[in-house]
Amino acid sequence: MKQLNYFKIPTLLLALIILGASCKMGKNYSRPEILSPESFRFAQGDTTFNTALKWWDLFDDPVLDTLIQTALRHNKDVLTAAHNVEAVRIQMAIQKADLLPKFNLSGQAQHGNFIGVQQATASNNFNVFGQASWEIDFWGKFRRLNEVAKAQYLASEYGLASLKLSLISTVATTYFQVLEFREKQQIAESTYAIRDSSYRLIKQRFEAGIIPEIDLNHAQIQKAIAASAIPAYKRYATQAENALSVLIGRNPETLSATNTLERITPIPEIPAGLPADLLERRPDVLMAEQEMVAQNALVGVAQANRLPSISLTGVLGFASSDLSSLTSGDPAWNAGGSILGPIFQWGQNKNRMKAEVSRREASIQNYQNVALNAFREVEDLLIEIATLKEEEVAISEHVSAALNAMQLSSERYDKGIASYIEYLESQRQAFEAQMSLAGNRQRLLAAYITLYQAIGGGWE
């Protein structure tokens, strides 16, 4: 009978632990339904999407590839985020340890006539004790906190992936801006050379009394317009180079690139995939989901905090008045358990739970909003690419016609058939058309880049 009583308490304790292991407060996470479109409206042809695509290779530009690889290794924002991710990963390991017992060791040496009560003479007192404590996760509070820590770690990983994807897009876009501004500077320099030559000829004719001063003034105006464009685009190109240098983690330096926008490899049609796939591909959507997972688990934690906590403690050690005989005697020990539960706290725990529930609902709305914006961004970029292509065809025709008209106007003016105003107008139109074409090409390349980012491409 005594033997039965001896095993009764451990058996009951084991049963409580097993029961507690199967109990977790709060609902388990389930992804809320997202009503996604069946397909993108402006997707062309095959919509199969390859998530392993290293998409910047499609531009076939070694300089761009080197810039992106350097940025991924040395960009300061990415390195900062990577260290923060590592800190969150370590925090997850710290949180996991709360499920396990804690062991501590303490020792003490004293000399005096007071050891709890005053003694007649002074004496020595030495002791060393090992302590163990364990809060049983009866309501699943620590397991929910582990869910929070894991979700926060995954969210930080997806945040880092989103940052890298954004960095790649920004590097590529800035690179193409450098090429755009350089091309516009060259157009301005070429136009200035033509207008300066015309100005010299007009000046000679004016001094010879052949043409009125108004023609000379018009020539000066057009020459000045081209002259002012040269330093402006030189400034824009240099500032874009400086921004690019910072993106790749370097001090401002000149970019050695011989490519031009016109020579960039034509981009094939981009398979955008299915809208619902964005929920699994885009790191910002996955990040928002993990924030929702974490908040769902925090509701369970708040519910568990309203219930009693059960803890086990134990002490085992030795005490002696002589250090040499500290471990020769019988050990001192005790074991016990405690329960602590809130009774009346003016509704604080209840309101904390309500607050977590509200935050969970807010995280659901945020997740759905991120998903909706993901669908919108892809649709916007697909139509932007389609229309920019149409614009490029029209602008290319404009450039061709304007350059030909400028040549013809020059010949007509030299023969006295056309007025100088007509010739200047044809020059202006040719200049603006060439500038517009360079800008449109850069916008089209930037739209491709942003589309790759919007469909979650390349971030793996």
Side-chain angles (χ1 to χ4, degrees):
M1 188 67 179
K2 289 182 179 179
Q3 189 175 8
L4 179 62
N5 290 335
Y6 179 77
F7 287 105
K8 188 173 181 180
I9 294 177
T11 302
L12 179 59
L13 178 60
L14 180 61
L16 288 172
I17 294 173
I18 294 174
L19 178 62
S22 63
C23 176
K24 284 196 293 186
M25 300 304 296
K27 297 179 181 179
N28 290 329
Y29 169 77
S30 62
R31 177 187 286 178
E33 183 180 359
I34 298 291
L35 297 177
S36 62
E38 293 184 1
S39 62
F40 293 113
R41 291 184 297 162
F42 296 97
Q44 301 292 326
D46 180 20
T47 59
T48 304
F49 180 75
N50 178 11
T51 57
L53 178 67
K54 188 180 172 185
W55 49 264
W56 58 87
D57 281 348
L58 294 175
F59 296 110
D60 193 23
D61 190 322
V63 174
L64 176 60
D65 182 72
T66 300
L67 288 171
I68 290 175
Q69 298 295 347
T70 304
L72 289 174
R73 289 193 300 269
H74 300 293
N75 179 265
K76 301 307 178 184
D77 289 334
V78 168
L79 293 177
T80 300
H83 286 297
N84 288 334
V85 168
E86 178 63 12
V88 176
R89 186 192 66 79
I90 295 172
Q91 187 62 42
M92 180 174 64
I94 295 172
Q95 183 58 56
K96 283 183 178 180
D98 281 342
L99 282 169
L100 304 174
K102 304 295 189 298
F103 299 93
N104 296 298
L105 180 67
S106 66
Q108 195 174 48
Q110 293 181 334
H111 177 77
N113 67 347
F114 181 82
I115 306 175
V117 295
Q118 186 172 358
Q119 306 290 325
T121 60
S123 63
N124 296 324
N125 180 38
F126 303 97
N127 64 72
V128 58
F129 286 95
Q131 300 173 338
S133 61
W134 185 19
E135 182 176 345
I136 300 174
D137 192 26
F138 193 81
W139 310 111
K141 177 177 68 174
F142 294 126
R143 279 168 288 158
R144 289 297 187 198
L145 285 172
N146 280 343
E147 290 179 26
V148 174
K150 181 180 179 181
Q152 289 174 339
Y153 168 65
L154 290 175
S156 66
E157 284 280 15
Y158 291 133
L160 177 59
S162 182
L163 178 61
K164 287 181 178 179
L165 180 55
S166 177
L167 173 65
I168 292 169
S169 300
T170 304
V171 168
T173 300
T174 307
Y175 172 70
F176 290 133
Q177 283 180 339
V178 172
L179 298 186
E180 176 198 2
F181 295 142
R182 286 182 177 179
E183 184 171 329
K184 287 184 174 181
Q185 181 183 342
Q186 291 175 356
I187 293 171
E189 290 172 348
S190 176
T191 302
Y192 173 79
I194 294 173
R195 292 181 180 180
D196 182 60
S197 177
S198 296
Y199 169 74
R200 293 176 185 275
L201 179 60
I202 294 299
K203 184 178 180 182
Q204 291 175 358
R205 291 181 176 180
F206 168 72
E207 290 174 348
I210 301 174
I211 60 172
E213 187 176 6
I214 187 67
D215 286 358
L216 179 63
N217 294 148
H218 282 304
Q220 289 174 322
I221 291 171
Q222 295 304 314
K223 176 186 174 183
I225 290 174
S228 64
I230 294 172
Y233 285 109
K234 182 179 180 180
R235 178 173 66 253
Y236 300 153
T238 302
Q239 289 173 342
E241 285 178 334
N242 295 342
L244 194 56
S245 297
V246 172
L247 287 172
I248 63 176
R250 295 178 181 173
N251 289 321
E253 59 185 13
T254 301
L255 174 65
S256 299
T258 58
N259 211 348
T260 63
L261 294 177
E262 189 176 5
R263 293 204 301 263
I264 296 294
T265 302
I267 306 301
E269 294 295 338
I270 302 175
L274 299 176
D277 293 343
L278 294 184
L279 304 182
E280 306 294 341
R281 285 203 310 261
R282 280 187 48 140
D284 59 335
V285 175
L286 294 170
M287 179 180 176
E289 181 178 14
Q290 289 305 317
E291 291 171 350
M292 188 168 49
V293 171
Q295 194 55 52
N296 180 75
L298 284 172
V299 173
V301 173
Q303 289 177 326
N305 283 332
R306 300 184 67 190
L307 301 171
S309 60
I310 302 172
S311 299
L312 302 178
T313 58
V315 176
L316 175 65
F318 299 91
S320 173
S321 59
D322 188 351
L323 184 61
S324 62
S325 61
L326 179 62
T327 60
S328 61
D330 293 333
W333 63 275
N334 69 52
S338 64
I339 183 169
L340 176 65
I343 295 178
F344 189 73
Q345 297 187 353
W346 307 101
Q348 286 182 325
N349 288 336
K350 181 179 179 180
N351 287 328
R352 288 190 183 102
M353 189 189 73
K354 287 182 177 179
E356 297 297 349
V357 170
S358 294
R359 293 190 185 100
R360 180 181 63 187
E361 295 304 312
S363 69
I364 292 173
Q365 296 299 320
N366 177 66
Y367 170 72
Q368 293 174 336
N369 187 54
V370 171
L372 287 174
N373 276 287
F375 301 146
R376 178 192 60 81
E377 287 176 10
V378 176
E379 292 282 15
D380 286 350
L381 289 162
L382 287 172
I383 187 60
E384 183 176 355
I385 288 173
T387 53
L388 283 172
K389 283 183 175 180
E390 295 174 359
E391 287 182 49
E392 183 167 2
V393 172
I395 297 172
S396 296
E397 293 178 356
H398 185 186
V399 169
S400 179
L403 290 174
N404 188 57
M406 182 177 69
Q407 180 63 32
L408 293 175
S409 295
S410 176
E411 295 174 0
R412 283 164 53 84
Y413 176 70
D414 289 340
K415 295 177 181 179
I417 302 174
S419 67
Y420 188 64
I421 298 299
E422 176 186 312
Y423 175 51
L424 291 179
E425 177 62 18
S426 65
Q427 277 191 347
R428 184 189 64 79
Q429 289 193 14
F431 176 66
E432 292 181 356
Q434 291 177 87
M435 290 292 195
S436 178
L437 182 60
N440 191 83
R441 284 173 176 164
Q442 190 278 329
R443 287 193 297 274
L444 179 58
L445 291 171
Y448 275 118
I449 293 165
T450 310
L451 178 60
Y452 285 124
Q453 179 181 3
I455 59 182
W459 65 272
E460 290 185 341

